[in-house]
Amino acid sequence: MAENREEDVRLGANKFTEKQPLGTAAQTDKDYKEPPPAPLFEPGELKSWSFYRAGIAEFVATFLFLYITILTVMGVGRSHNKCASVGIQGIAWSFGGMIFALVYCTAGISGGHINPAVTFGLFLARKLSFTRAIFYIVMQCLGAICGAGVVKGFMEGPYQKLQGGANMVQHGYTKGDGLGAEIVGTFILVYTVFSATDAKRSARDSHVPILAPLPIGFAVFLVHLATIPITGTGINPARSLGAAIIYNKEHAWNDHWIFWVGPFIGAALAAIYHQIVIRAIPFKSSRAC
């Protein structure tokens, strides 16, 4: 049985090995204790300055995210010769690089979500309360609207002409294609978030150094490379909403539901996969003291 097998694991810089069981039997409190789930409702948060500070951090981060990324999209769109611009690769680097920088800056304040789908996935995993999740999503959407609005203020004519960075299913693809791309793309992102921020990973794999914002930003970059030609890449409902509201043309709203339904489904699947399959939390057996 896999539960009874053992493997040698090296803990941090410790040169001595320790026997540790494989599989769900490894879910012990020997070197790690599962943090308690966040309460569904936590009214006391509303009286805490740290709660509002975290919301402000999400607003500012999403504002900056939309500002830089949509400006990059506009710059590529205005170029008569794509070879003379950063191209699709540059757009992908812009999105991934900004997520890397902003998650690094805000992780210690709000967790650095910058995306309602990430917030939703973490809420399903009981990493934050419903109160905080709703507050984050509202602040993220407001930040995205303001970020896109500032870009339009700088270059209103080109902004309207170049569709304002709004997400739409591109010609040659069906709505089903777009929905599938958003589901899988968001799954990759949220699964990476769970894996990169898993506290048990620090206890179990402390000999493997990891900077959480780096794999998260890199996941965003790779997903954009793959799905920009399909949907312009949403995987972030706030980003899609901000651009759609400021651009505000009918064709920007025709497929807008895809950029909410797809990311939320992808986030839910990532949360289920990580919590049930990877962490096997529901199957963790209780041990007598």
Side-chain angles (χ1 to χ4, degrees):
M1 295 289 292
E3 297 292 334
N4 297 322
R5 288 171 18 202
E6 294 182 335
E7 67 174 350
D8 289 334
V9 293
R10 187 182 298 276
L11 301 177
N14 189 355
K15 296 181 180 179
F16 301 97
T17 59
E18 176 180 319
K19 297 294 185 179
Q20 179 170 310
L22 289 171
T24 55
Q27 304 276 344
T28 68
D29 56 4
K30 188 172 185 179
D31 61 352
Y32 172 80
K33 188 171 183 179
E34 190 71 41
L40 188 59
F41 294 100
E42 195 170 359
E45 286 184 318
L46 300 177
K47 301 177 182 178
S48 169
W49 164 240
S50 63
F51 175 79
Y52 296 100
R53 182 182 63 177
I56 293 170
E58 287 293 308
F59 172 89
V60 172
T62 315
F63 169 86
L64 295 174
F65 178 60
L66 266 288
Y67 173 75
I68 293 296
T69 55
I70 292 184
L71 271 179
T72 305
V73 171
M74 294 294 98
V76 172
R78 293 187 69 181
S79 176
H80 298 293
N81 181 0
K82 293 297 187 291
C83 294
S85 69
V86 295
I88 288 179
Q89 294 88 348
I91 293 174
W93 276 120
S94 174
F95 279 88
M98 280 303 292
I99 287 297
F100 168 73
L102 294 170
V103 171
Y104 180 84
C105 291
T106 60
I109 301 172
S110 65
H113 297 189
I114 322 171
N115 185 335
V118 171
T119 299
F120 179 65
L122 293 174
F123 164 70
L124 291 181
R126 301 294 300 277
K127 303 295 185 183
L128 72 165
S129 68
F130 180 74
T131 311
R132 186 174 291 263
I134 293 297
F135 184 49
Y136 276 16
I137 291 173
V138 170
M139 296 300 282
Q140 290 158 0
C141 290
L142 290 175
I145 293 168
C146 292
V150 170
V151 174
K152 182 179 179 179
F154 283 166
M155 44 193 302
E156 182 171 358
Y159 186 92
Q160 294 299 123
K161 181 180 179 182
L162 299 171
Q163 302 180 336
N167 290 120
M168 290 169 275
V169 177
Q170 303 301 308
H171 294 297
Y173 294 96
T174 67
K175 294 182 187 296
D177 296 334
L179 181 62
E182 290 296 306
I183 291 173
V184 176
T186 311
F187 178 91
I188 293 170
L189 168 60
V190 178
Y191 175 45
T192 303
V193 170
F194 273 111
S195 297
T197 59
D198 190 349
K200 182 169 178 59
R201 183 188 187 105
S202 298
R204 183 192 63 210
D205 301 332
S206 57
H207 61 293
V208 181
I210 185 170
L211 178 63
L214 181 59
I216 296 171
F218 200 64
V220 171
F221 164 69
L222 293 174
V223 171
H224 275 75
L225 282 182
T227 60
I228 283 176
I230 303 174
T231 61
T233 308
I235 68 171
N236 184 333
R239 172 261 187 274
S240 300
L241 179 66
I245 286 179
I246 300 302
Y247 178 54
N248 199 28
K249 299 293 183 182
E250 183 178 356
H251 55 278
W253 295 107
N254 290 337
D255 303 324
H256 187 70
W257 63 273
I258 290 173
F259 302 100
W260 284 86
V261 175
F264 273 57
I265 292 176
L269 292 175
I272 292 169
Y273 176 65
H274 185 266
Q275 294 296 98
I276 295 180
V277 178
I278 301 301
R279 295 295 306 280
I281 288 177
F283 305 106
K284 178 181 177 182
S285 59
S286 60
R287 293 173 178 266
C289 296

